[in-house]
Amino acid sequence: MALDPFQALQSANRAAPPERRDEGTLLIAGATGALGQELVRRLAGRHRFEHTRVLAREPIRDGLRGVETLLAPGADIAQWPRMAADTALVLFEPPRLYYDRERALWTPEPAQLPALARWLKACGVRTLAVVQPHDQGRLPEALKRGLASLDEEAVVAQGFERVIIVRSARKPAAGRFANPAERLAAWMLSIARFMVPASEQPVRAGKVAELVDVALRIAPPGVHVAAPELVWQASQGELQAVAEAWLLG
């Protein structure tokens, strides 16, 4: 039987307090999927922040001390009322359908990122972290370490003190085929997946969450982009050293 992610968070509440506690409020948009669960466990379950607010589509009974769910009021983000926050985390992983609570959480679409960033800046957010998934092996080399789209440029233009973009590789979604010929063609093309370098393969959610956690703690002011290869390298053992070389070196 799958463990409810909120039960896991309640268990995390009983852990020993951390050595450091960050000031202020964390706002999470897209606290779904394995990565969302890991990040909430790390950042909220360990009380890294004084308060954590998670955006939801439907009312949810709060089950974690220090964690509050807030309803996302409608599709037009520009009309949302302000919610005070200091740090924001944006994830795009869709909810897992077998978790009732995840289905009730609000997850943004990638096209909503600029509008969401404008709203977050108006809420007082100074640090914005975005985990931007990309199909493995599909991101052009020139875009891996810089801003990959006009949407990301619009986010940076909002003037946050820190912007952290983590490009996490993911496996391509399974396609739907109208006939056996399409299925055969897709299978033949899928052979290319074996040609993707190891450094561009997906990384376990726990390691991505750990890298985001470290980045939020040590990143200086500015824009910091982690390419898929860096995320993979950080997962191989010396995560703290890789993060410091990326952010401080």
Side-chain angles (χ1 to χ4, degrees):
M1 179 178 177
L3 179 65
D4 186 288
F6 283 77
Q7 292 178 350
L9 297 181
Q10 288 174 334
S11 299
N13 261 343
R14 294 191 289 271
E19 297 180 359
R20 169 180 171 173
R21 178 185 177 125
D22 286 335
E23 296 288 337
T25 296
L26 170 67
L27 179 63
I28 304 178
T32 51
L35 180 57
Q37 176 183 340
E38 285 290 335
L39 280 164
V40 176
R41 182 183 66 83
R42 281 186 166 274
L43 301 177
R46 297 180 181 181
H47 306 298
R48 277 275 315 279
F49 292 84
E50 293 178 357
H51 304 283
T52 298
R53 292 171 172 164
V54 177
L55 291 176
R57 296 186 298 108
E58 303 170 7
I60 302 176
R61 182 172 60 85
D62 298 326
L64 265 181
R65 179 165 49 89
V67 178
E68 177 186 7
T69 53
L70 297 176
L71 287 179
D76 188 357
I77 297 175
Q79 300 301 317
W80 287 5
R82 305 293 182 254
M83 305 176 187
D86 304 282
T87 300
L89 178 60
V90 178
L91 309 166
F92 298 100
E93 189 171 356
R96 295 167 290 187
L97 297 180
Y98 47 86
Y99 285 124
D100 289 337
R101 285 181 178 269
E102 283 194 14
R103 292 202 302 269
L105 296 177
W106 186 80
T107 301
E109 296 293 334
Q112 294 176 299
L113 182 58
L116 183 59
R118 286 191 292 271
W119 178 75
L120 291 170
K121 188 66 170 62
C123 290
V125 169
R126 299 190 302 274
T127 294
L128 173 62
V130 180
V131 181
Q132 187 71 277
H134 293 275
D135 288 347
Q136 61 184 31
R138 299 287 183 86
L139 189 65
E141 195 69 32
L143 301 180
K144 290 180 179 179
R145 296 166 183 81
L147 301 179
S149 67
L150 293 176
D151 286 349
E152 291 182 0
E153 292 179 11
V155 169
V156 171
Q158 296 303 314
F160 294 98
E161 182 178 314
R162 300 188 301 170
V163 175
I164 300 167
I165 299 176
V166 176
R167 305 204 188 286
S168 176
R170 66 182 176 191
K171 294 181 179 179
R176 295 182 177 180
F177 310 107
N179 53 63
E182 289 186 2
R183 187 178 298 108
L184 176 61
W187 175 80
M188 295 177 67
L189 290 173
S190 70
I191 296 175
R193 74 181 185 273
F194 296 108
M195 302 173 63
V196 176
S199 61
E200 295 188 29
Q201 297 284 345
V203 173
R204 287 193 299 110
K207 288 298 183 180
V208 178
E210 186 179 355
L211 179 62
V212 174
D213 185 7
V214 172
L216 286 173
R217 285 191 281 110
I218 71 173
V223 179
H224 309 279
V225 180
E229 292 91 343
L230 187 142
V231 178
W232 179 85
Q233 182 185 3
S235 72
Q236 300 307 297
E238 298 295 332
L239 189 146
Q240 183 74 30
V242 172
E244 290 178 357
W246 165 41
L247 297 164
L248 306 176

